[in-house]
Amino acid sequence: MSSLTAPAPQLRIGPLPLSVPVVLAPMAGITNTAFRRLCREYGAGLYVSEMITSRALVERTPVSMRLIRHHESETTRSIQLYSVDPATAGEAAHFLVGEGLADHIDMNFGCPVPKVTRKGGGAALPWKLSHFRRIVEATVKAAGDIPVTVKMRKGIDADHLTYLEAAKAAEGAGVSAVALHARTAADFYSGTADWDAIATLKDTITSIPVLGNGDIWSADDALRMVEQSGCDGIVVGRGCLGRPWLFGDLAAAFRGEKRKATPTLGEVGDALRRHAELLVEFFDGDEQRGCRDIRKHVAWYFKGYPVGGELRARMARTESLQHLDDMLGELDRDAPYPGEAAEGQRGRAGTPKKPALPDRWLESRELSEASRAEVSAAELHNSGG
């Protein structure tokens, strides 16, 4: 157990005070308003939307307009933008602010997915430092009084680290905080996050908060990260998959309380059912679509619990809320929390891999005209970081 028992100081991101220094990491296909609302019901923090490309927002595509929607209960509306172009980034931020649709804008420069980095986007983009700076400056200028933050990775690989220079550029551009997923694009989600890199970043960036991300599977992990790195707050992603109550654990821990959720199987089933209900609402009452979306969450919710493979498989094919209710009725609701079996890593870690990059990308830190069109194509894709 961590020795950090005193309540954590309140985190401020620009003018926004957070009662606990906890941020939900944007995850593609996961952190829609349904999941954010569910997590909020269990705990406190800043709950960020899944990533939205600035081009799609400028073009007002139906999907992007759905993704920026917030429920009235979401009092701090946080949207993550992905952009590869200063003009488009600025236009997207101007739209969000002008229409009163956001209270906070986060920028994604951490996506390690090959189809994005191959075009020079995501975690590859900060290598072109001047271009990175122009994108951030344009967004901050267009956002006005709305705080802008940046989320990034350490760099492309161990030989091409970018996070310190990029963070200093972002700080100089006027962002309100920087968050570091302490892995490189080459690491993907494998191995162990390098919390020492977060400490180095905290020593380097002194005028704005530094947030740490990577390998937070429990509240104890979050406290250890703060102790080890000195970071001002934490960003949690895969650790909350199928465990929205983690935000209650985190809130308690940062308030100096010793409390841990140990839900019974019945309580887990209730959370899954609530999640499905919120997804149906998110999809404007389309029950079939909401139930299709909940399928990918089934394995995460029941990790470690005594739920047979046949029942899990049926739940992963659920077609309606009534169908889901019938299957949840088969659970042993009194089955206790299984302890260690329900803890630890969630989601696929993958293996280290050589990042896919545009041709001759690493030869210069400046963006050539030949590369500019290729980078522009990166915004056609959408993923997390």
Side-chain angles (χ1 to χ4, degrees), residues 263-266 268 301-312 315 327-328 330-339 341-342:
T264 64
L265 181 53
V268 173
Y301 273 103
F302 294 124
K303 181 179 187 292
Y305 283 88
V307 180
E310 187 272 337
L311 180 55
R312 288 172 184 255
M315 284 192 184
M327 290 182 288
L328 291 174
E330 299 179 38
L331 298 175
D332 176 5
R333 290 187 57 85
D334 295 326
Y337 184 71

Side-chain angles (χ1 to χ4, degrees), residues 7-12 16-21 232:
Q10 188 181 71
L11 172 66
R12 295 189 69 89
L16 300 176
L18 302 186
S19 59
V20 292
D232 301 290

Side-chain angles (χ1 to χ4, degrees), residues 37-225:
R37 288 173 64 189
L38 182 66
C39 293
R40 187 181 294 271
E41 291 174 3
Y42 284 93
L46 180 64
Y47 299 98
V48 188
S49 77
E50 57 185 299
M51 190 182 77
I52 303 162
T53 68
S54 59
R55 181 184 297 178
L57 200 55
V58 167
E59 295 175 353
R60 314 290 196 269
T61 67
V63 171
S64 68
M65 299 307 289
R66 177 187 298 279
L67 293 180
I68 64 172
R69 284 194 331 206
H70 285 81
H71 187 261
E72 60 185 12
S73 65
E74 297 185 83
T75 51
T76 301
R77 300 161 303 165
S78 178
I79 291 177
Q80 189 183 68
L81 283 182
Y82 168 86
S83 188
V84 295
D85 174 68
T88 310
E91 191 174 347
H94 180 76
F95 166 69
L96 290 173
V97 175
E99 297 296 321
L101 297 172
D103 305 304
H104 163 240
I105 296 172
D106 184 52
M107 302 197 72
N108 185 309
F109 295 101
C111 181
V113 175
K115 68 181 181 182
V116 171
T117 60
R118 184 178 293 114
K119 300 293 186 180
L125 196 143
W127 178 254
K128 304 299 186 182
L129 187 60
S130 296
H131 189 64
F132 166 85
R133 181 185 291 110
R134 287 192 292 270
I135 293 171
V136 177
E137 287 174 343
T139 306
V140 170
K141 181 179 179 180
D145 294 333
I146 299 298
V148 174
T149 57
V150 164
K151 184 169 183 278
M152 63 184 73
R153 284 190 173 230
K154 289 170 55 182
I156 293 173
D157 55 33
D159 295 323
H160 301 90
L161 300 179
T162 56
Y163 72 107
L164 294 179
E165 292 172 302
K168 286 188 283 189
E171 182 183 31
V175 303
S176 296
V178 292
L180 178 66
H181 183 158
R183 288 180 168 89
T184 64
D187 293 329
F188 211 67
Y189 294 97
S190 67
T192 302
D194 178 12
W195 290 0
D196 288 341
I198 300 172
T200 300
L201 182 61
K202 176 60 182 172
D203 289 339
T204 303
I205 303 299
T206 58
S207 69
I208 54 176
V210 170
L211 310 180
N213 177 219
D215 293 354
I216 296 176
W217 311 111
S218 69
D220 280 355
D221 292 334
L223 298 184
R224 286 193 303 104
M225 176 187 278

Side-chain angles (χ1 to χ4, degrees), residues 137-377:
E137 287 174 343
T139 306
V140 170
K141 181 179 179 180
D145 294 333
I146 299 298
V148 174
T149 57
V150 164
K151 184 169 183 278
M152 63 184 73
R153 284 190 173 230
K154 289 170 55 182
I156 293 173
D157 55 33
D159 295 323
H160 301 90
L161 300 179
T162 56
Y163 72 107
L164 294 179
E165 292 172 302
K168 286 188 283 189
E171 182 183 31
V175 303
S176 296
V178 292
L180 178 66
H181 183 158
R183 288 180 168 89
T184 64
D187 293 329
F188 211 67
Y189 294 97
S190 67
T192 302
D194 178 12
W195 290 0
D196 288 341
I198 300 172
T200 300
L201 182 61
K202 176 60 182 172
D203 289 339
T204 303
I205 303 299
T206 58
S207 69
I208 54 176
V210 170
L211 310 180
N213 177 219
D215 293 354
I216 296 176
W217 311 111
S218 69
D220 280 355
D221 292 334
L223 298 184
R224 286 193 303 104
M225 176 187 278
V226 171
E227 285 183 302
Q228 181 176 324
S229 71
C231 65
D232 301 290
I234 62 100
V235 181
V236 60
R238 293 175 296 151
C240 68
L241 295 175
R243 294 198 313 168
W245 45 84
L246 176 59
F247 288 95
D249 290 352
L250 290 165
F254 279 116
R255 288 169 179 152
E257 304 168 10
K258 293 185 177 180
R259 190 183 77 196
K260 177 180 173 60
T262 55
T264 64
L265 181 53
E267 290 169 329
V268 173
D270 291 343
L272 175 66
R273 176 58 168 79
R274 174 64 173 157
H275 193 171
E277 174 187 318
L278 291 172
L279 281 168
V280 171
E281 184 178 334
F282 171 62
F283 289 115
D284 299 321
D286 187 334
E287 188 168 325
Q288 188 175 51
R289 189 172 181 186
C291 288
R292 283 201 307 268
D293 203 73
I294 197 63
R295 295 172 182 175
K296 61 175 172 274
H297 297 269
V298 169
W300 296 326
Y301 273 103
F302 294 124
K303 181 179 187 292
Y305 283 88
V307 180
E310 187 272 337
L311 180 55
R312 288 172 184 255
R314 280 193 284 128
M315 284 192 184
R317 297 192 299 270
T318 187
E319 297 176 353
S320 68
L321 292 178
Q322 183 60 58
H323 186 210
L324 181 60
D325 287 341
D326 292 343
M327 290 182 288
L328 291 174
E330 299 179 38
L331 298 175
D332 176 5
R333 290 187 57 85
D334 295 326
Y337 184 71
E340 199 64 32
E343 302 286 342
Q345 183 167 305
R346 315 177 87 76
R348 295 181 180 179
T351 57
K353 59 192 71 179
K354 183 178 180 180
L357 298 169
D359 186 44
R360 304 175 69 176
W361 186 254
L362 297 176
E363 291 183 3
S364 171
R365 300 299 303 271
E366 296 298 323
L367 186 67
S368 68
E369 287 302 319
S371 297
R372 198 171 299 275
E374 193 164 15
V375 169
S376 176

